[in-house]
Amino acid sequence: QVQLVESGGGLVQAGDSLRLSCAASRRTFSRYAMGWFRQAPGKEREFVAAITWSGGDTFYADSVKGRFTISGDNAKNTVALQMNSLKPEDTAIYYCAADSRGYYIRTARASYDYWGQGTQVTVSS
Protein backbone atom coordinates (compact mmCIF):
# COMPACT_ATOMS: atom_id res chain seq x y z
CA GLN A 1 0.00 0.00 0.00
CA VAL A 2 1.32 3.38 -0.99
CA GLN A 3 -0.05 6.80 -0.14
CA LEU A 4 0.92 9.58 -2.52
CA VAL A 5 0.79 13.30 -1.87
CA GLU A 6 1.44 15.91 -4.54
CA SER A 7 2.66 19.43 -3.91
CA GLY A 8 4.05 22.40 -5.80
CA GLY A 9 1.08 23.47 -7.86
CA GLY A 10 0.08 27.07 -8.23
CA LEU A 11 -0.85 29.96 -10.47
CA VAL A 12 1.78 31.09 -12.94
CA GLN A 13 2.00 32.96 -16.21
CA ALA A 14 2.81 31.49 -19.59
CA GLY A 15 6.51 30.85 -19.93
CA ASP A 16 7.05 30.34 -16.21
CA SER A 17 8.23 27.19 -14.50
CA LEU A 18 6.93 25.01 -11.71
CA ARG A 19 8.29 21.96 -9.97
CA LEU A 20 5.81 19.41 -8.70
CA SER A 21 6.72 16.85 -6.09
CA CYS A 22 5.14 13.56 -5.14
CA ALA A 23 5.91 12.03 -1.76
CA ALA A 24 5.21 8.38 -1.03
CA SER A 25 4.29 7.30 2.48
CA ARG A 26 5.97 3.96 2.01
CA ARG A 27 9.09 2.84 0.29
CA THR A 28 8.61 1.96 -3.33
CA PHE A 29 10.38 -0.94 -4.91
CA SER A 30 12.46 -1.49 -7.97
CA ARG A 31 9.56 -2.94 -9.91
CA TYR A 32 7.49 0.22 -9.52
CA ALA A 33 6.96 2.85 -12.13
CA MET A 34 5.91 6.34 -11.09
CA GLY A 35 3.83 8.49 -13.33
CA TRP A 36 2.23 11.88 -13.65
CA PHE A 37 -1.19 12.38 -15.16
CA ARG A 38 -3.25 15.50 -15.59
CA GLN A 39 -6.88 16.32 -16.07
CA ALA A 40 -8.11 19.58 -17.52
CA PRO A 41 -11.70 20.77 -17.08
CA GLY A 42 -14.07 18.77 -19.25
CA LYS A 43 -11.36 16.43 -20.48
CA GLU A 44 -10.18 12.92 -19.77
CA ARG A 45 -7.27 12.30 -17.46
CA GLU A 46 -4.21 11.98 -19.64
CA PHE A 47 -0.72 10.61 -19.27
CA VAL A 48 2.06 13.14 -18.89
CA ALA A 49 5.27 11.36 -17.91
CA ALA A 50 6.58 8.31 -16.10
CA ILE A 51 9.79 6.83 -14.80
CA THR A 52 10.83 3.31 -13.81
CA TRP A 53 12.87 2.69 -10.69
CA SER A 54 14.52 -0.40 -12.11
CA GLY A 55 16.10 1.10 -15.16
CA GLY A 56 15.52 4.81 -14.84
CA ASP A 57 13.66 4.83 -18.13
CA THR A 58 11.49 7.83 -18.80
CA PHE A 59 8.69 8.49 -21.21
CA TYR A 60 6.78 11.65 -22.01
CA ALA A 61 3.63 12.61 -23.75
CA ASP A 62 4.30 14.46 -26.98
CA SER A 63 2.58 17.54 -25.62
CA VAL A 64 5.19 18.01 -22.88
CA LYS A 65 8.30 16.49 -24.40
CA GLY A 66 11.21 18.89 -24.25
CA ARG A 67 9.54 21.06 -21.63
CA PHE A 68 8.89 18.70 -18.72
CA THR A 69 11.37 16.47 -16.93
CA ILE A 70 10.50 13.68 -14.54
CA SER A 71 12.98 12.51 -11.94
CA GLY A 72 13.00 10.31 -8.88
CA ASP A 73 14.83 10.12 -5.59
CA ASN A 74 14.43 6.59 -4.30
CA ALA A 75 16.10 7.36 -0.98
CA LYS A 76 13.51 10.03 -0.24
CA ASN A 77 10.61 8.23 -1.89
CA THR A 78 9.85 11.24 -4.01
CA VAL A 79 9.20 11.90 -7.66
CA ALA A 80 9.40 15.33 -9.21
CA LEU A 81 8.06 16.87 -12.37
CA GLN A 82 9.96 19.92 -13.52
CA MET A 83 7.74 21.94 -15.83
CA ASN A 84 9.30 24.66 -17.93
CA SER A 85 7.91 26.96 -20.59
CA LEU A 86 4.42 26.45 -19.27
CA LYS A 87 1.49 27.12 -21.54
CA PRO A 88 -2.16 27.83 -20.78
CA GLU A 89 -2.90 24.40 -22.25
CA ASP A 90 -0.98 22.87 -19.34
CA THR A 91 -3.64 24.05 -16.92
CA ALA A 92 -4.99 21.00 -15.13
CA ILE A 93 -5.02 19.06 -11.93
CA TYR A 94 -1.85 17.02 -11.84
CA TYR A 95 -1.89 13.59 -10.26
CA CYS A 96 0.93 11.39 -9.12
CA ALA A 97 0.43 7.66 -9.58
CA ALA A 98 2.29 4.43 -8.88
CA ASP A 99 2.32 1.29 -10.98
CA SER A 100 3.26 -1.62 -8.73
CA ARG A 101 4.16 -3.80 -11.68
CA GLY A 102 6.00 -1.19 -13.65
CA TYR A 103 8.70 -3.31 -15.16
CA TYR A 104 8.10 -1.19 -18.19
CA ILE A 105 6.41 2.16 -18.50
CA ARG A 106 2.69 2.00 -19.10
CA THR A 107 0.54 4.97 -19.97
CA ALA A 108 -2.98 3.73 -19.26
CA ARG A 109 -4.73 4.97 -16.14
CA ALA A 110 -5.86 1.46 -15.28
CA SER A 111 -2.25 0.32 -15.05
CA TYR A 112 -1.64 2.39 -11.93
CA ASP A 113 -2.57 1.08 -8.50
CA TYR A 114 -2.17 4.15 -6.33
CA TRP A 115 -3.10 7.78 -6.84
CA GLY A 116 -2.60 11.05 -5.06
CA GLN A 117 -5.30 13.65 -4.58
CA GLY A 118 -3.87 15.99 -7.17
CA THR A 119 -2.45 19.49 -7.21
CA GLN A 120 -3.81 22.35 -9.28
CA VAL A 121 -1.64 23.99 -11.90
CA THR A 122 -3.04 27.09 -13.56
CA VAL A 123 -1.19 28.88 -16.33
CA SER A 124 -2.51 32.27 -17.37
CA SER A 125 -1.83 34.01 -20.66
Side-chain angles (χ1 to χ4, degrees):
Q1 301 293 320
V2 178
Q3 293 288 326
L4 305 174
V5 180
E6 305 94 336
S7 63
L11 173 63
V12 298
Q13 294 184 317
D16 286 352
S17 297
L18 277 176
R19 184 177 178 86
L20 305 182
S21 293
C22 173
S25 61
R26 297 188 181 187
R27 187 71 171 269
T28 54
F29 305 100
S30 61
R31 69 179 186 275
Y32 274 58
M34 302 297 295
W36 286 94
F37 289 74
R38 67 186 183 186
Q39 187 166 22
K43 296 185 178 181
E44 295 288 331
R45 190 172 301 184
E46 64 177 0
F47 172 83
V48 176
I51 185 170
T52 61
W53 290 126
S54 58
D57 297 323
T58 59
F59 185 75
Y60 301 88
D62 289 339
S63 59
V64 305
K65 191 175 300 181
R67 298 187 298 121
F68 291 10
T69 302
I70 188 171
S71 60
D73 187 333
N74 186 254
K76 297 181 179 180
N77 291 321
T78 58
V79 177
L81 184 68
Q82 178 66 43
M83 306 185 294
N84 298 326
S85 301
L86 283 164
K87 305 174 181 179
E89 301 89 271
D90 296 318
T91 296
I93 299 175
Y94 283 71
Y95 298 90
C96 178
D99 178 358
S100 63
R101 297 185 63 81
Y103 303 106
Y104 303 96
I105 290 175
R106 299 188 287 181
T107 61
R109 291 176 295 168
S111 299
Y112 290 78
D113 306 277
Y114 310 104
W115 294 84
Q117 294 299 305
T119 185
Q120 178 71 49
V121 172
T122 302
V123 185
S124 65
S125 59

